[in-house]
Amino acid sequence: MTRKGLEKATFAGGCFWCMVKPFDQWDGIHGVVSGYTGGHVEHPTYDQVKTGTTGHYEAVQITYDPEVFSYEELLDIYWRQIDPTDDEGQFHDRGPQYRTAIFYHTEEQQEKAELSKQQLEASGKFQQPIVTKILPASTFYPAEDYHQKFYQKEPEKYKKDREKSGRDEFIEQHWM
């Protein structure tokens, strides 16, 4: 998939700015890239994707060493960043480009993602159905440079946007 021993995982969880930092701080994670996937427009731009008409999701693609950090651990982090019951976007970001999805790169990832979704459904943590889709990975287009590691480049903007979104309150209410 990548350099010898490294694998990729791709997750859509609403605004990609908020999805980088939770994955970016662990041993075994070799990179987290913000981008677009799942749509029908080749080489989309942010301005195109934000219209909601390209079919693309805002997503992050993680390059990781499964010998150090497992796919199951990535899934655990992923579920704890999103509202898996909302199929119209995430928090204050609305529209199809902000829906949630797990994009699997291998049959093994698909099986693990399906199992983790079933376990979350069975846990009773949410009263509404889990609507996060599990889809085959398709071409991933990295977002423009200014979106990459936004939490580091623009820490005050990132903090304000995240506070405004309602994501942290949701996480605290459902996962802490």
Side-chain angles (χ1 to χ4, degrees), residues 2-141:
T2 62
R3 288 188 320 197
K4 187 171 171 77
L6 299 183
E7 295 184 11
K8 293 205 181 281
T10 306
F11 302 120
C15 174
F16 48 39
W17 288 354
C18 291
M19 293 298 292
V20 173
K21 186 177 180 181
F23 295 103
D24 200 31
Q25 51 194 345
W26 301 96
D27 289 340
I29 305 300
H30 289 256
V32 183
V33 176
S34 297
Y36 318 110
T37 194
H40 58 273
V41 174
E42 290 187 23
H43 307 288
T45 65
Y46 177 71
D47 286 336
Q48 290 173 310
V49 173
K50 74 179 182 181
T51 68
T53 61
T54 66
H56 285 291
Y57 294 71
E58 281 196 15
V60 292
Q61 190 163 82
I62 302 155
T63 302
Y64 69 103
D65 182 344
E67 297 294 320
V68 178
F69 206 89
S70 71
Y71 188 70
E72 291 89 345
E73 290 172 299
L74 291 172
L75 288 166
D76 187 51
I77 292 170
Y78 171 72
W79 289 119
R80 293 172 183 268
Q81 305 309 309
I82 65 168
D83 176 353
T85 68
D86 188 348
D87 64 355
E88 295 184 14
Q90 287 292 284
F91 313 106
H92 75 165
D93 294 309
R94 312 311 297 160
Q97 69 274 30
Y98 297 115
R99 293 169 296 158
T100 61
I102 297 169
F103 293 92
Y104 59 87
H105 293 263
T106 65
E107 198 172 296
E108 181 181 6
Q109 282 186 355
Q110 179 185 14
E111 291 169 6
K112 290 176 178 181
E114 294 284 359
L115 178 60
S116 72
K117 182 177 177 179
Q118 291 167 7
Q119 290 170 335
L120 182 58
E121 288 171 331
S123 75
K125 184 173 281 294
F126 296 97
Q127 301 203 348
Q128 297 174 317
I130 305 301
V131 297
T132 298
K133 290 183 170 60
I134 298 173
L135 302 168
S138 58
T139 303
F140 182 87
Y141 299 97

Side-chain angles (χ1 to χ4, degrees), residues 158-170:
Y158 168 78
K159 182 180 175 187
K160 285 181 183 172
D161 188 68
R162 189 161 175 121
E163 286 172 357
K164 181 173 69 169
S165 76
R167 186 182 294 261
D168 290 333
E169 290 85 0
F170 180 88

